[in-house]
PDB file of all heavy atoms in Angstrom:
ATOM      1  N   ARG A 136     -23.686 -91.241 105.120  1.00 97.00           N
ATOM      2  CA  ARG A 136     -22.522 -91.210 106.007  1.00 97.00           C
ATOM      3  C   ARG A 136     -21.359 -90.590 105.242  1.00 97.00           C
ATOM      4  O   ARG A 136     -21.023 -91.036 104.142  1.00 97.00           O
ATOM      5  CB  ARG A 136     -22.146 -92.622 106.465  1.00 97.00           C
ATOM      6  CG  ARG A 136     -21.051 -92.658 107.525  1.00 97.00           C
ATOM      7  CD  ARG A 136     -20.568 -94.078 107.772  1.00 97.00           C
ATOM      8  NE  ARG A 136     -21.603 -94.967 108.269  1.00 97.00           N
ATOM      9  CZ  ARG A 136     -21.948 -95.082 109.547  1.00 97.00           C
ATOM     10  NH1 ARG A 136     -21.336 -94.349 110.455  1.00 97.00           N
ATOM     11  NH2 ARG A 136     -22.900 -95.931 109.912  1.00 97.00           N
ATOM     12  N   GLY A 150     -16.277 -99.738 109.027  1.00 96.00           N
ATOM     13  CA  GLY A 150     -17.290-100.460 108.273  1.00 96.00           C
ATOM     14  C   GLY A 150     -16.788-101.781 107.719  1.00 96.00           C
ATOM     15  O   GLY A 150     -16.006-102.484 108.371  1.00 96.00           O
ATOM     16  N   TYR A 151     -17.208-102.112 106.480  1.00 98.00           N
ATOM     17  CA  TYR A 151     -16.917-103.408 105.877  1.00 98.00           C
ATOM     18  C   TYR A 151     -16.581-103.229 104.401  1.00 98.00           C
ATOM     19  O   TYR A 151     -16.980-102.253 103.777  1.00 98.00           O
ATOM     20  CB  TYR A 151     -18.131-104.344 106.006  1.00 98.00           C
ATOM     21  CG  TYR A 151     -18.490-104.660 107.437  1.00 98.00           C
ATOM     22  CD1 TYR A 151     -19.296-103.795 108.181  1.00 98.00           C
ATOM     23  CD2 TYR A 151     -18.004-105.809 108.057  1.00 98.00           C
ATOM     24  CE1 TYR A 151     -19.612-104.076 109.497  1.00 98.00           C
ATOM     25  CE2 TYR A 151     -18.307-106.094 109.372  1.00 98.00           C
ATOM     26  CZ  TYR A 151     -19.119-105.224 110.096  1.00 98.00           C
ATOM     27  OH  TYR A 151     -19.412-105.492 111.404  1.00 98.00           O
ATOM     28  N   VAL A 166     -29.560-109.000 102.153  1.00 98.00           N
ATOM     29  CA  VAL A 166     -29.758-108.768 103.593  1.00 98.00           C
ATOM     30  C   VAL A 166     -29.384-107.357 104.023  1.00 98.00           C
ATOM     31  O   VAL A 166     -29.552-107.010 105.191  1.00 98.00           O
ATOM     32  CB  VAL A 166     -28.960-109.790 104.441  1.00 98.00           C
ATOM     33  CG1 VAL A 166     -29.402-111.213 104.116  1.00 98.00           C
ATOM     34  CG2 VAL A 166     -27.450-109.623 104.246  1.00 98.00           C
ATOM     35  N   CYS A 167     -28.905-106.520 103.118  1.00 98.00           N
ATOM     36  CA  CYS A 167     -28.519-105.154 103.494  1.00 98.00           C
ATOM     37  C   CYS A 167     -29.773-104.303 103.709  1.00 98.00           C
ATOM     38  O   CYS A 167     -30.577-104.136 102.778  1.00 98.00           O
ATOM     39  CB  CYS A 167     -27.656-104.517 102.412  1.00 98.00           C
ATOM     40  SG  CYS A 167     -27.207-102.798 102.793  1.00 98.00           S
ATOM     41  N   PRO A 168     -29.965-103.756 104.908  1.00 97.00           N
ATOM     42  CA  PRO A 168     -31.181-102.977 105.175  1.00 97.00           C
ATOM     43  C   PRO A 168     -31.257-101.666 104.409  1.00 97.00           C
ATOM     44  O   PRO A 168     -32.329-101.075 104.305  1.00 97.00           O
ATOM     45  CB  PRO A 168     -31.112-102.727 106.691  1.00 97.00           C
ATOM     46  CG  PRO A 168     -29.682-102.861 107.051  1.00 97.00           C
ATOM     47  CD  PRO A 168     -29.114-103.866 106.112  1.00 97.00           C
ATOM     48  N   GLN A 169     -30.134-101.208 103.853  1.00 97.00           N
ATOM     49  CA  GLN A 169     -30.118 -99.930 103.137  1.00 97.00           C
ATOM     50  C   GLN A 169     -29.802-100.086 101.655  1.00 97.00           C
ATOM     51  O   GLN A 169     -29.551 -99.097 100.964  1.00 97.00           O
ATOM     52  CB  GLN A 169     -29.096 -98.996 103.794  1.00 97.00           C
ATOM     53  CG  GLN A 169     -29.505 -98.514 105.178  1.00 97.00           C
ATOM     54  CD  GLN A 169     -30.722 -97.614 105.112  1.00 97.00           C
ATOM     55  OE1 GLN A 169     -30.779 -96.692 104.302  1.00 97.00           O
ATOM     56  NE2 GLN A 169     -31.715 -97.867 105.966  1.00 97.00           N
ATOM     57  N   CYS A 187     -23.662 -97.097 104.045  1.00 97.00           N
ATOM     58  CA  CYS A 187     -23.533 -98.286 104.890  1.00 97.00           C
ATOM     59  C   CYS A 187     -23.837 -97.961 106.352  1.00 97.00           C
ATOM     60  O   CYS A 187     -23.327 -96.986 106.906  1.00 97.00           O
ATOM     61  CB  CYS A 187     -22.121 -98.848 104.757  1.00 97.00           C
ATOM     62  SG  CYS A 187     -21.818-100.316 105.773  1.00 97.00           S
ATOM     63  N   LEU A 188     -24.661 -98.809 106.987  1.00 97.00           N
ATOM     64  CA  LEU A 188     -24.994 -98.648 108.400  1.00 97.00           C
ATOM     65  C   LEU A 188     -23.907 -99.176 109.332  1.00 97.00           C
ATOM     66  O   LEU A 188     -23.958 -98.928 110.537  1.00 97.00           O
ATOM     67  CB  LEU A 188     -26.295 -99.405 108.712  1.00 97.00           C
ATOM     68  CG  LEU A 188     -27.618 -98.728 108.381  1.00 97.00           C
ATOM     69  CD1 LEU A 188     -28.760 -99.720 108.552  1.00 97.00           C
ATOM     70  CD2 LEU A 188     -27.834 -97.506 109.261  1.00 97.00           C
ATOM     71  N   HIS A 189     -22.976 -99.981 108.802  1.00 97.00           N
ATOM     72  CA  HIS A 189     -21.958-100.668 109.619  1.00 97.00           C
ATOM     73  C   HIS A 189     -22.607-101.708 110.526  1.00 97.00           C
ATOM     74  O   HIS A 189     -22.076-102.036 111.588  1.00 97.00           O
ATOM     75  CB  HIS A 189     -21.130 -99.687 110.457  1.00 97.00           C
ATOM     76  CG  HIS A 189     -20.350 -98.713 109.659  1.00 97.00           C
ATOM     77  ND1 HIS A 189     -19.604 -97.693 110.231  1.00 97.00           N
ATOM     78  CD2 HIS A 189     -20.169 -98.571 108.317  1.00 97.00           C
ATOM     79  CE1 HIS A 189     -19.018 -96.982 109.301  1.00 97.00           C
ATOM     80  NE2 HIS A 189     -19.348 -97.485 108.129  1.00 97.00           N
ATOM     81  N   CYS A 190     -23.779-102.235 110.138  1.00 97.00           N
ATOM     82  CA  CYS A 190     -24.494-103.174 111.001  1.00 97.00           C
ATOM     83  C   CYS A 190     -23.881-104.566 110.996  1.00 97.00           C
ATOM     84  O   CYS A 190     -24.065-105.341 111.937  1.00 97.00           O
ATOM     85  CB  CYS A 190     -25.963-103.245 110.599  1.00 97.00           C
ATOM     86  SG  CYS A 190     -26.267-104.002 108.979  1.00 97.00           S
ATOM     87  N   GLY A 191     -23.179-104.941 109.922  1.00 97.00           N
ATOM     88  CA  GLY A 191     -22.534-106.249 109.846  1.00 97.00           C
ATOM     89  C   GLY A 191     -23.421-107.369 109.342  1.00 97.00           C
ATOM     90  O   GLY A 191     -23.022-108.539 109.371  1.00 97.00           O
ATOM     91  N   ASN A 192     -24.624-107.065 108.843  1.00 98.00           N
ATOM     92  CA  ASN A 192     -25.519-108.122 108.370  1.00 98.00           C
ATOM     93  C   ASN A 192     -24.926-108.848 107.166  1.00 98.00           C
ATOM     94  O   ASN A 192     -25.027-110.077 107.054  1.00 98.00           O
ATOM     95  CB  ASN A 192     -26.885-107.538 108.020  1.00 98.00           C
ATOM     96  CG  ASN A 192     -28.026-108.521 108.262  1.00 98.00           C
ATOM     97  OD1 ASN A 192     -27.898-109.437 109.076  1.00 98.00           O
ATOM     98  ND2 ASN A 192     -29.130-108.335 107.572  1.00 98.00           N
ATOM     99  N   CYS A 193     -24.301-108.104 106.269  1.00 98.00           N
ATOM    100  CA  CYS A 193     -23.653-108.732 105.106  1.00 98.00           C
ATOM    101  C   CYS A 193     -22.524-109.646 105.557  1.00 98.00           C
ATOM    102  O   CYS A 193     -22.350-110.757 105.036  1.00 98.00           O
ATOM    103  CB  CYS A 193     -23.143-107.657 104.149  1.00 98.00           C
ATOM    104  SG  CYS A 193     -21.939-106.510 104.878  1.00 98.00           S
ATOM    105  N   PHE A 194     -21.759-109.190 106.531  1.00 98.00           N
ATOM    106  CA  PHE A 194     -20.622-109.952 107.074  1.00 98.00           C
ATOM    107  C   PHE A 194     -21.097-111.298 107.617  1.00 98.00           C
ATOM    108  O   PHE A 194     -20.480-112.336 107.371  1.00 98.00           O
ATOM    109  CB  PHE A 194     -19.969-109.111 108.169  1.00 98.00           C
ATOM    110  CG  PHE A 194     -18.830-109.760 108.878  1.00 98.00           C
ATOM    111  CD1 PHE A 194     -17.561-109.780 108.330  1.00 98.00           C
ATOM    112  CD2 PHE A 194     -19.019-110.349 110.126  1.00 98.00           C
ATOM    113  CE1 PHE A 194     -16.499-110.376 108.994  1.00 98.00           C
ATOM    114  CE2 PHE A 194     -17.972-110.943 110.799  1.00 98.00           C
ATOM    115  CZ  PHE A 194     -16.705-110.950 110.233  1.00 98.00           C
ATOM    116  N   GLU A 195     -22.212-111.284 108.339  1.00 97.00           N
ATOM    117  CA  GLU A 195     -22.699-112.506 108.968  1.00 97.00           C
ATOM    118  C   GLU A 195     -23.337-113.478 107.971  1.00 97.00           C
ATOM    119  O   GLU A 195     -23.392-114.680 108.235  1.00 97.00           O
ATOM    120  CB  GLU A 195     -23.715-112.166 110.063  1.00 97.00           C
ATOM    121  CG  GLU A 195     -23.115-111.468 111.268  1.00 97.00           C
ATOM    122  CD  GLU A 195     -24.096-111.336 112.410  1.00 97.00           C
ATOM    123  OE1 GLU A 195     -25.239-111.840 112.288  1.00 97.00           O
ATOM    124  OE2 GLU A 195     -23.727-110.728 113.441  1.00 97.00           O
ATOM    125  N   ARG A 204     -14.132-106.842 108.045  1.00 96.00           N
ATOM    126  CA  ARG A 204     -14.384-105.641 108.840  1.00 96.00           C
ATOM    127  C   ARG A 204     -13.171-104.720 108.732  1.00 96.00           C
ATOM    128  O   ARG A 204     -12.030-105.153 108.881  1.00 96.00           O
ATOM    129  CB  ARG A 204     -14.643-106.022 110.298  1.00 96.00           C
ATOM    130  CG  ARG A 204     -15.000-104.862 111.193  1.00 96.00           C
ATOM    131  CD  ARG A 204     -15.228-105.316 112.629  1.00 96.00           C
ATOM    132  NE  ARG A 204     -16.499-106.009 112.791  1.00 96.00           N
ATOM    133  CZ  ARG A 204     -16.632-107.299 113.077  1.00 96.00           C
ATOM    134  NH1 ARG A 204     -15.552-108.065 113.202  1.00 96.00           N
ATOM    135  NH2 ARG A 204     -17.820-107.839 113.252  1.00 96.00           N
TER     136      ARG A 204
END
Side-chain angles (χ1 to χ4, degrees):
R136 187 189 298 276
Y151 297 84
V166 300
C167 178
Q169 291 294 312
C187 179
L188 278 171
H189 298 176
C190 68
N192 211 24
C193 59
F194 177 81
E195 292 189 3
R204 184 181 286 113

